[in-house]
Amino acid sequence: MSLYEAMKEGWYLIKTKARQEQRACEHLENQGFNAYCPFMANKNATPEPLFPGYLFLYLDLHGIKKHHKISSTRGVNNFVRFNQVGRGLYADGRISIDTSQLKDLLPQPIPNGHMVIQQIREMVDYLQAGQTAKTISFNTGDTVTICNPLYDHLKVTFVKGISMDRGMVLVQYIREQRNASGVLTKAKIAPVKTMKLKLSDIKKADEV
């Protein structure tokens, strides 16, 4: 059995080659690995890695058996090791280690990896929603229009925001009756209804 097969399951930090985070992530995924590289849009709306030069890689027992493919993957440099000093001293022959202790020189998973990755995902979601919110702003009582020609005849009033990227609106439907010639003969205002919509799906009436 290879020494590397003594690695533990978990999330590992991978160092990538300069500006090749996306390339490394895609090639790892193409080999069946679970890779994660969070991106955020910069001020020019261009996606950039949240952690330049790094990505996260989850290894289960199946992935550990394929560890030898990781460092040779396009865009990948190597594992980030948290025991570099001991590994360097051992490689230089300056310290001796019992065979049973060699596994301590292997790459180690990130402590509490699942929690760390979940927190990063939530932070990315929050920041992305915040970027949307910075460009979209409505006040209670604003007359808005739904960005869809099927609904542009509706009277819509903004009520409140319910999350970073969603809001609640009041919609008033007008039921029309026309004769065979298409002439309007009767218009009835239906009860007001509330709807939850993405802020990006509505505009202020004066912007239409």
Side-chain angles (χ1 to χ4, degrees), residues 149-182:
L150 295 177
Y151 306 114
D152 59 8
H153 64 288
L154 301 179
K155 181 181 180 181
V156 184
T157 304
F158 186 79
V159 179
K160 64 179 180 178
I162 55 177
S163 69
M164 294 297 293
D165 64 342
R166 298 181 71 84
M168 180 178 291
V169 298
L170 289 176
V171 181
Q172 191 170 68
Y173 294 85
I174 300 177
R175 295 174 179 170
E176 299 179 347
Q177 292 183 6
R178 297 177 182 272
N179 58 26
S181 301

Side-chain angles (χ1 to χ4, degrees), residues 101-171:
Q101 297 176 303
L102 285 177
K103 62 181 181 180
D104 294 332
L105 300 181
L106 292 172
Q108 298 296 318
I110 301 169
N112 301 314
H114 285 296
M115 181 183 299
V116 171
I117 296 301
Q118 180 61 30
Q119 290 175 340
I120 292 174
R121 293 185 192 275
E122 291 176 355
M123 179 182 68
V124 170
D125 289 343
Y126 176 81
L127 292 175
Q128 288 177 335
Q131 288 180 333
T132 301
K134 288 178 183 177
T135 59
I136 303 175
S137 178
F138 300 98
N139 298 313
T140 299
D142 283 348
T143 299
V144 298
T145 300
I146 300 175
C147 302
N148 187 314
L150 295 177
Y151 306 114
D152 59 8
H153 64 288
L154 301 179
K155 181 181 180 181
V156 184
T157 304
F158 186 79
V159 179
K160 64 179 180 178
I162 55 177
S163 69
M164 294 297 293
D165 64 342
R166 298 181 71 84
M168 180 178 291
V169 298
L170 289 176
V171 181

Side-chain angles (χ1 to χ4, degrees), residues 4 6 12 18 32 34 54-56 60 89 95 124 126 158 188:
Y4 273 80
Y12 288 79
N34 181 3
Y54 298 92
L55 60 78
F56 301 95
D60 54 14
L89 292 174
I95 60 172
V124 170
Y126 176 81
F158 186 79
K188 180 181 179 182

Side-chain angles (χ1 to χ4, degrees), residues 10-200:
W11 284 98
Y12 288 79
L13 186 61
I14 300 294
K15 177 66 176 173
T16 69
K17 296 178 181 178
R19 295 180 294 280
Q20 295 190 39
E21 299 88 357
Q22 184 66 36
R23 184 187 193 194
C25 192
E26 291 177 353
H27 281 281
L28 285 169
E29 291 177 340
N30 288 340
Q31 297 176 80
F33 290 105
N34 181 3
Y36 174 54
C37 186
F39 280 76
M40 286 293 299
N42 62 20
K43 61 182 180 181
N44 297 318
T46 302
E48 289 184 345
L50 188 60
F51 305 104
Y54 298 92
L55 60 78
F56 301 95
L57 182 70
Y58 183 76
L59 291 181
D60 54 14
L61 294 178
H62 180 66
I64 289 172
K65 292 180 180 180
K66 300 189 298 179
H67 73 275
H68 57 282
K69 296 183 178 182
I70 297 171
S71 59
S72 60
T73 298
R74 293 180 180 180
V76 171
N77 190 323
N78 215 327
F79 285 94
V80 172
R81 300 172 185 265
F82 303 101
N83 46 13
Q84 290 282 26
V85 175
R87 185 169 180 269
L89 292 174
Y90 175 75
D92 292 342
R94 297 165 64 182
I95 60 172
S96 59
I97 295 179
D98 184 83
T99 303
S100 62
Q101 297 176 303
L102 285 177
K103 62 181 181 180
D104 294 332
L105 300 181
L106 292 172
Q108 298 296 318
I110 301 169
N112 301 314
H114 285 296
M115 181 183 299
V116 171
I117 296 301
Q118 180 61 30
Q119 290 175 340
I120 292 174
R121 293 185 192 275
E122 291 176 355
M123 179 182 68
V124 170
D125 289 343
Y126 176 81
L127 292 175
Q128 288 177 335
Q131 288 180 333
T132 301
K134 288 178 183 177
T135 59
I136 303 175
S137 178
F138 300 98
N139 298 313
T140 299
D142 283 348
T143 299
V144 298
T145 300
I146 300 175
C147 302
N148 187 314
L150 295 177
Y151 306 114
D152 59 8
H153 64 288
L154 301 179
K155 181 181 180 181
V156 184
T157 304
F158 186 79
V159 179
K160 64 179 180 178
I162 55 177
S163 69
M164 294 297 293
D165 64 342
R166 298 181 71 84
M168 180 178 291
V169 298
L170 289 176
V171 181
Q172 191 170 68
Y173 294 85
I174 300 177
R175 295 174 179 170
E176 299 179 347
Q177 292 183 6
R178 297 177 182 272
N179 58 26
S181 301
V183 177
L184 179 64
T185 59
K186 184 178 181 181
K188 180 181 179 182
I189 298 177
V192 174
K193 295 184 179 180
T194 59
M195 292 178 62
K196 296 177 182 178
L197 299 170
K198 290 184 178 180
L199 298 182
S200 58

